[in-house]
């Protein structure tokens, strides 16, 4: 059955501009784009469109999320704050999260797109869905923007699904950074299984250690698998096999979301991991099979981070390949290089030890 897809050029109105670093003598180094550049999303949209994989997709138009929908997680004060800052010409939600006047429309459309894609899957118009959203959401907390994120798209969509009668929801977050906002939203809620694969001790500080398992009454429904820098396709596959898939089978979600950040790639400037196109394709394939096995295929994949202008489009294409079971014929731009070969072989004892540590910590709550 069909894939639902959503992308809208209005997402690009969230223009994060240039980073200009002032030098001690008062001069400014030639500016570069903010890491979360809109060009990454635009290039990804171009590549996905050229791949042929969307030719028979159900194209879903976004609509703005309502204030009540945003308030399924965010405080009314925070929503008003974002509206005010953007309408007054823009500014910063935190030291890393710039917003401009167009950011409001982009952010409410991204959250609304997540809801519309979820509806397409729940209505049976599509079996699975992919949203090329901007701005991303998983760092956004109840009452503040953080880490390039404005509204927490996946939390808003998951709560929408639950209002429509879905009981148990799983959110798998493979962004290289910890999905702190999503963890916070579901911390004391045993109806949502939140699973994060991320680089250990990275961003944000203090989040994502294995002992963060959820509040009393919801222990074990927060699953953190921090991985050492340098983890590649084999480590991610092993983490899925030993920890994520067995827990998912015991939890039995009725709907699966993926917070898909492609910043664990071998080329990302903000992560230190070695995942390649093949690794992302394999993870998406695993999750597609999991959804087929557990919940009639119901799967909604939403874009989070990913900062390699060159490689994010390809890794995202690989995710669509894994989700659809089809191959586009567009190869890895690193094909034939020794770096790609090494990244795909990469697997060290400390990576397996980290996965084992997570498995042992979670064995208190699940059969692992
Ligand atoms: Zn990230």
């Amino acid at each position: 059955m069909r894939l639902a897809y959503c992308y809208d050029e209005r997402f690009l109105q969230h223009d994060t501009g240039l980073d200009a670093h002032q030098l001690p003598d008062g001069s400014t180094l030639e500016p570069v784009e903010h890491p979360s550049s809109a060009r990454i999303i635009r290039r990804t949209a171009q590549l996905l469109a050229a791949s042929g994989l969307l030719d028979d997709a159900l194209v879903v138009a976004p609509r703005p999320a309502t204030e009540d929908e945003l308030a399924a997680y965010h405080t009314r004060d925070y929503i008003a704050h974002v509206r005010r800052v953007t309408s007054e010409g823009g500014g910063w939600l935190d030291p890393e999260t710039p917003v401009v006047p167009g950011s409001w429309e982009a952010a409410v459309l991204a959250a609304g797109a997540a809801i519309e894609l979820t509806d397409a899957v729940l209505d049976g118009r599509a079996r699975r869905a992919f949203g090329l959203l901007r701005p991303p959401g998983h760092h956004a907390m109840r009452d503040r923007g953080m880490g390039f994120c404005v509204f927490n798209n996946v939390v808003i969509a998951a709560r929408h699904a639950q209002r429509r009668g879905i009981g148990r929801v799983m959110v798998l977050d493979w962004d290289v950074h910890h999905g702190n906002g999503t963890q916070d939203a579901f911390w004391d809620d045993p109806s949502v299984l939140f699973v994060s694969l991320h680089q250990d001790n990275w961003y944000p500080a203090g989040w994502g250690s294995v002992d963060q398992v959820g509040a009393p009454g919801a222990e074990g429904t927060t699953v953190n698998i921090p991985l050492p820098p340098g983890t590649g396709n084999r480590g991610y596959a092993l983490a899925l096999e030993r920890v994520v898939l067995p827990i998912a089978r015991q939890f039995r979600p009725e709907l699966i979301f993926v917070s898909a950040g492609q910043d664990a790639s071998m080329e990302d400037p903000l992560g230190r991991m070695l995942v390649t196109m093949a690794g992302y394709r394999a993870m998406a394939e695993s999750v597609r099979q999991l959804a087929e096995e557990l919940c009639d295929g119901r799967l909604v994949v939403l874009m989070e981070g990913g900062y390699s202008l060159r490689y994010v489009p390809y890794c995202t294409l690989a995710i669509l390949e894994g989700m659809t079971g089809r191959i586009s014929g567009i190869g890895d731009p690193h094909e034939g290089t020794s770096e790609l070969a090494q990244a795909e072989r990469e697997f060290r004892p400390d990576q397996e030890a980290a996965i084992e540590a997570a498995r042992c910590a979670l064995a208190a709550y699940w059969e692992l």
Side-chain angles (χ1 to χ4, degrees):
M1 206 161 77
R2 296 170 87 186
L3 172 83
Y5 174 69
C6 181
Y7 166 71
D8 194 296
E9 290 199 343
R10 288 173 291 174
F11 296 156
L12 306 181
Q13 295 175 95
H14 176 57
D15 179 359
T16 42
L18 298 174
D19 270 355
H21 188 236
Q22 195 143 35
L23 299 175
D25 70 359
S27 68
T28 305
L29 201 58
E30 181 180 320
V32 292
E33 284 167 85
H34 184 274
S36 177
S37 163
R39 286 174 70 204
I40 299 166
I41 299 296
R42 189 160 58 233
R43 292 187 80 239
T44 304
Q46 287 169 5
L47 187 68
L48 299 185
S51 72
L53 294 184
L54 297 176
D55 290 354
D56 57 356
L58 172 71
V59 174
V60 170
R63 50 123 179 130
T66 65
E67 185 175 323
D68 284 346
E69 286 167 337
L70 300 173
Y73 177 47
H74 297 289
T75 63
R76 305 265 173 187
D77 280 353
Y78 172 63
I79 297 166
H81 173 70
V82 176
R83 194 196 290 269
R84 190 168 53 247
V85 173
T86 52
S87 70
E88 289 173 357
W92 297 80
L93 297 183
D94 87 333
E96 291 164 318
T97 313
V99 287
V100 293
S103 298
W104 171 262
E105 187 180 23
V108 295
L109 280 173
I115 292 171
E116 288 291 311
L117 290 167
T118 302
D119 278 340
V121 169
L122 295 185
D123 293 344
R125 284 177 282 133
R127 194 158 183 92
R128 52 193 82 90
F130 182 82
L132 184 58
L133 309 183
R134 174 179 174 83
H138 74 150
H139 294 307
M141 300 287 283
R142 193 177 303 275
D143 59 355
R144 64 200 145 103
M146 248 182 94
F148 317 155
C149 297
V150 180
F151 297 125
N152 199 316
N153 305 315
V154 75
V155 171
I156 290 161
R159 288 304 188 207
H160 173 78
Q162 291 191 312
R163 275 199 306 274
R164 286 198 51 179
I166 292 287
R168 291 180 309 281
V169 174
M170 172 176 175
V171 178
L172 171 60
D173 185 328
W174 67 47
D175 189 287
V176 80
H177 306 104
H178 182 258
N180 56 293
T182 314
Q183 172 169 307
D184 169 74
F186 303 130
W187 180 248
D188 56 2
D189 182 350
S191 73
V192 181
L193 174 67
F194 171 66
V195 180
S196 180
L197 298 165
H198 51 270
Q199 185 177 324
D200 192 14
N201 276 321
W202 200 231
Y203 177 89
W207 289 87
S209 56
V210 289
D211 58 353
Q212 294 174 12
V213 295
E219 289 118 323
T221 59
T222 292
V223 171
N224 281 300
I225 310 175
L227 297 165
T231 302
N233 300 355
R234 293 176 62 190
Y236 275 82
L238 190 71
L240 287 181
E241 180 193 316
R242 288 208 186 149
V243 185
V244 180
L245 302 182
I247 290 176
R249 291 189 176 107
Q250 292 164 59
F251 179 77
R252 292 180 298 109
E254 295 157 72
L255 171 65
I256 300 175
F257 287 94
V258 175
S259 266
Q262 280 63 267
D263 43 12
S265 89
M266 63 181 280
E267 205 174 312
D268 201 276
L270 300 191
R272 298 293 177 266
M273 298 303 209
L274 288 172
V275 180
T276 71
M277 263 185 98
Y280 281 109
R281 189 184 299 114
M283 285 200 286
E285 174 80 37
S286 284
V287 176
R288 175 172 69 95
Q289 287 172 2
L290 187 71
E292 291 296 334
E293 177 189 331
L294 299 178
C295 50
D296 290 328
R298 288 191 291 270
L299 171 64
V300 179
V301 179
L302 303 175
M303 191 77 172
E304 296 284 359
Y307 306 101
S308 167
L309 191 48
R310 182 165 86 132
Y311 202 34
V312 165
Y314 292 87
C315 293
T316 308
L317 172 61
I319 290 168
L320 274 203
E321 290 177 338
M323 286 179 72
T324 57
R326 288 153 62 190
I327 294 296
S328 66
I330 296 172
D332 193 308
H334 303 93
E335 202 59 61
T337 66
S338 60
E339 293 103 314
L340 182 67
Q342 181 54 40
E344 293 187 340
R345 270 198 302 272
E346 179 68 22
F347 188 59
R348 292 194 315 257
D350 63 322
Q351 297 162 7
E352 183 167 9
I355 293 163
E356 276 303 293
R359 191 185 65 76
C360 291
L362 291 153
Y365 312 100
W366 306 96
E367 253 176 65
L368 293 171

